Amino acid sequence: MRLWQNPASPFARKVRIVARETGLLPRIEEIAVMVSPVSPNADLAAHNPLVKIPALQMDDGKVIYDSTVICEYLDTLHTGVQVIPSDATRWEALRLQALCNGILEAAVLCRYEGFVRPEAYRWDGWVKGQFAKIRNGLDALASEAPAWGARFGIGQIGAACVLGYLDYRFANENWRSRAALASWYETVKDRASVVATMPA
Ligand code: BEZ
């Protein structure tokens, strides 16, 4: 399989952590591509009309996206502990994944707003609205984290990607003021899959 990704992308990181947690990494070639909404990558565009990462080419040549679909697919390819449970806890896991995806979407939009959009076109009120989503989402994660125990499923993988991305791109955002979230992150930050995919 071939995975189009970028080491800075938290959505690609989610897939890369799942690939490592499930033992599937040896079957996946990770292809690093530069992505920008204003200068799309031609190779990726030929395989994903949205020109977004992550995208995965399966062994039959077909390409699937986005991170949620790819993680679900990878979880069908191994016999270890499911990352996405199929029992009654499934909906809670998928809801937590959606919460983390929403925080990440807001954070990536803020990154583009501050880095890609010309200064004259920036809109402070819009950025504040995105940061409200990020902070409300972090509050929700902090209230839920004490119940996670040792579980490292799709929701917790998403949370690790959220916190890693904030450290990487928004180091001034003091998310560690939420003590429950900070102490949970200490329990996962040294996992091999998390260390190997840390954005540098
Ligand atoms: C980033 O550089 O922050 C980034 C790169 C790719 C996708 C999303 C974010």
Side-chain angles (χ1 to χ4, degrees):
M1 292 176 279
R2 297 202 301 157
L3 176 69
W4 287 273
Q5 56 91 24
N6 182 288
S9 163
F11 291 103
R13 188 179 187 204
K14 195 153 62 93
V15 172
R16 297 174 68 219
I17 290 178
V18 168
R20 286 157 175 80
E21 290 287 331
T22 55
L24 290 167
L25 185 61
R27 292 179 54 186
I28 300 173
E29 180 193 357
E30 295 187 323
I31 304 165
V33 288
M34 294 295 290
V35 282
S36 158
V38 288
S39 55
N41 176 283
D43 175 43
L44 184 57
H47 294 91
N48 178 356
L50 302 174
V51 207
K52 285 174 98 172
I53 51 168
L56 180 83
Q57 186 165 45
M58 302 182 289
D59 286 339
D60 66 3
K62 292 192 177 122
V63 175
I64 56 171
Y65 39 82
D66 56 4
S67 67
T68 304
V69 175
I70 298 171
C71 290
E72 186 102 33
Y73 174 68
L74 291 180
D75 215 20
T76 68
L77 299 184
H78 69 100
T79 53
V81 177
Q82 295 300 119
V83 170
I84 304 165
S86 44
D87 64 11
T89 63
R90 175 180 181 80
W91 308 112
E92 190 53 25
L94 291 178
R95 184 212 43 91
L96 183 54
Q97 174 179 220
L99 173 62
C100 294
N101 284 353
I103 300 171
L104 287 175
E105 278 156 15
V108 170
L109 286 175
C110 288
R111 166 70 182 162
Y112 281 138
E113 184 75 9
F115 185 71
V116 179
R117 193 186 294 278
E119 205 162 345
Y121 297 110
R122 289 186 197 150
W123 181 8
D124 280 352
W126 184 89
V127 172
K128 277 194 190 113
Q130 299 302 325
F131 265 96
K133 290 177 197 273
I134 294 169
R135 290 173 186 147
N136 290 342
L138 289 169
D139 289 344
L141 291 181
S143 72
E144 297 180 31
W148 292 344
R151 172 84 178 136
F152 198 61
I154 195 65
Q156 291 76 25
I157 291 169
C161 293
V162 164
L163 302 177
Y165 190 69
L166 292 179
D167 278 350
Y168 180 54
R169 289 299 189 205
F170 300 96
N172 292 333
E173 179 65 28
N174 185 23
W175 64 263
R176 285 183 176 78
S177 63
R178 296 165 184 84
L181 206 48
S183 57
W184 173 78
Y185 192 58
E186 285 302 306
T187 69
V188 299
K189 73 174 178 28
D190 295 326
R191 283 179 90 98
S193 64
V194 175
V195 171
T197 57
M198 194 74 77

